[in-house]
Amino acid sequence: MQTSVSRALRSTVCRRVGVATLTKATRRTLSLSTFARSSPRTGAVAVQSARRQYATTVPDPSTLPGLDASKLKVTPNPDLKTPPPSDQLTFGTTFTDHMLTIPWNSATGWGEPHIKPFGDIPMHPGSMGIHYAISAFEGMKAYRDASGRVTLFRPDKNMARLNRSVARITMPTFDGAEMITLIKELVKLDAHWIPTEPGHSLYVRPIMLGTQPTLYVGPTNEALLYVICSPVGPYYKTAIKPVALLGTDMYTRAAPGGTGGYKVAANYAPAIVPQLEAEAAGYDQNLWLLGPEHVLTEVGSMNLFLVLKTKDGKTELVTPDLADIILPGVTRDSILALARAHASGEAKIAGLPADLVVSERKITMAEVKEAAAEGRLLEVFGAGTAAVVSPVGRIGWEGKDIVVDCGKEGAGPVTRTMLREIEGRQYGRIPSEWAVVVQEGTE
């Protein structure tokens, strides 16, 4: 009986967020069967009450209005600001003139998209997003190439990941193509905020949060999806610079069955104290390790890559497999796609080893130490939207440093090649279907 009850609850929550199925981890989170078994009478009452509540209050999303870009309303900002000089930009502290907001309600579906002057968002003190971190977000960029053309880099991947994240915390999903259309309109309106200097871009932050005013812990009946933008400079202001990592096993960034594989707000605040401790110890970032085997997962808030010489003499580009503890990064996916195309012979890339092998697998600190001792640890780098790649020069572990030779250029050949190839596609130097046009250039 409890199995059918749990299935019924999952079905109603699936209807609420607008998805047909949820991941195994999400189903486990939403199940009440364990509680019902441990306290049969109380558990059964809770299950039946939840079934009645959802059955009577949650309409079928297919009958409600979906996200519709054709309904966009635009209110221009009458008080436009002057963008600051590019050399004065500090990441995430300067915002453009406009923002996009879209409300959602479980009874009425998606509301009217509205691009309006940038400003504060009214928030009830009891909003669930404040109290229970019902919030998920994305990080993406708009780029300007030499001709003045403005593009987004693989925005479909960001929309797919945001949909996956919001569903994990019971918020509504949306049509990704419609959302990209709306983001394009926002970027067009504020395109003059994209600096013209090389390496600069416009950081685009879509975020959804639960706005229902209640202290009850459960799915939110109201949500707000909004987008803000911020001009940013290059990650490396001069030459590329290796970073130092501290292997961290006292803290855990994510665990199996948790939310490490989703870009939810609750993942980030607990990482600040470990980051400060790593800095106090003389390192730039944490290398997050998991479990008694000290399995490598992520570096800071970036995905992790290593280049190893295998014992049979090949060159292996390896990144930890995602499972449900590692965020599926867009840059990570791009690096893997380029490397696999090279390794298969489909699209050879100058600068990558001819014998390259690409792996997504478990790798432990014991393997890293062994490879370093045998001279087989060739490169280590992080990958993410902000830096594209960030080379690693040393890893602190068990009181000693594992040194990675980054050479005179500050990064190994695979790291430098991936930086060149991805930035080339972002800034239009390399033609690519990954660059989605927002606005054509003037030249």
Side-chain angles (χ1 to χ4, degrees), residues 256-269:
T259 59
Y262 305 84
K263 202 168 180 66
V264 296
N267 289 345
Y268 291 82

Side-chain angles (χ1 to χ4, degrees), residues 94-411:
T94 301
F95 298 94
T96 64
D97 293 309
H98 298 90
M99 62 192 297
L100 167 68
T101 63
I102 318 162
W104 173 86
N105 184 285
S106 62
T108 58
W110 286 102
E112 179 183 75
H114 189 186
I115 291 178
K116 59 186 179 180
F118 182 90
D120 294 342
I121 296 174
M123 187 70 63
H124 190 283
S127 293
M128 300 180 77
I130 297 174
H131 293 270
Y132 305 122
I134 299 182
S135 175
F137 65 93
E138 273 301 316
M140 51 197 294
K141 287 182 177 180
Y143 303 85
R144 188 189 301 278
D145 67 19
S147 73
R149 186 181 70 157
V150 176
T151 61
L152 295 168
F153 184 71
R154 308 191 75 185
D156 57 318
K157 292 290 184 180
N158 293 100
M159 295 303 100
R161 189 171 65 181
L162 183 56
N163 265 322
R164 182 172 177 270
S165 297
V166 299
R168 175 64 175 85
I169 51 178
T170 71
M171 286 197 293
T173 57
F174 54 88
D175 187 311
E178 294 291 306
M179 189 61 185
I180 291 172
T181 298
L182 292 168
I183 291 174
K184 284 182 178 181
E185 292 303 313
L186 176 64
V187 172
K188 283 180 190 177
L189 193 58
D190 283 348
H192 62 286
W193 282 84
I194 306 175
T196 57
E197 292 85 351
H200 289 66
S201 57
L202 185 70
Y203 186 85
V204 180
R205 167 58 59 87
I207 181 170
M208 190 190 301
L209 53 97
T211 54
Q212 181 183 356
T214 178
L215 301 184
Y216 167 75
V217 181
T220 181
N221 284 329
E222 299 174 8
L224 179 68
L225 174 57
Y226 68 96
V227 184
I228 55 178
C229 301
S230 175
V232 294
Y235 190 84
Y236 303 107
K237 295 188 181 299
T238 54
I240 192 169
K241 181 183 176 182
V243 299
L245 305 181
L246 178 63
T248 301
D249 62 350
M250 185 172 70
Y251 299 100
T252 301
R253 192 199 79 85
T259 59
Y262 305 84
K263 202 168 180 66
V264 296
N267 289 345
Y268 291 82
I272 296 174
V273 166
Q275 168 68 27
L276 294 175
E277 292 184 1
E279 292 175 1
Y283 297 86
D284 299 297
Q285 293 280 356
N286 302 100
L287 172 59
W288 295 103
L289 306 174
L290 180 65
E293 292 184 273
H294 301 125
V295 176
L296 281 66
T297 60
E298 293 190 6
V299 44
S301 57
M302 305 176 76
N303 290 125
L304 175 67
F305 284 86
L306 300 93
V307 182
L308 306 171
K309 184 64 71 173
T310 65
K311 292 186 177 181
D312 61 359
K314 294 182 179 179
T315 305
E316 181 185 24
L317 176 66
V318 56
T319 189
D321 57 321
L322 295 173
D324 59 356
I325 58 174
I326 294 173
L327 188 70
V330 176
T331 307
R332 175 188 185 274
D333 184 81
S334 303
I335 290 171
L336 289 173
L338 293 172
R340 285 175 172 145
H342 170 83
S344 68
E346 177 186 345
K348 287 291 185 180
I349 297 175
L352 294 182
D355 62 347
L356 188 67
V357 176
V358 183
S359 303
E360 293 181 77
R361 64 174 178 84
K362 181 174 79 172
I363 183 167
T364 65
M365 280 305 300
E367 182 180 351
V368 173
K369 284 180 64 177
E370 179 185 64
E374 296 175 356
R376 296 186 294 103
L377 180 61
L378 306 182
E379 299 178 47
V380 181
F381 62 92
T385 298
V388 181
V389 297
S390 183
V392 175
R394 61 188 175 100
I395 301 171
W397 177 240
E398 297 180 333
K400 298 180 180 179
D401 279 350
I402 299 172
V403 177
V404 185
D405 184 10
C406 292
K408 294 181 180 180
E409 296 185 67

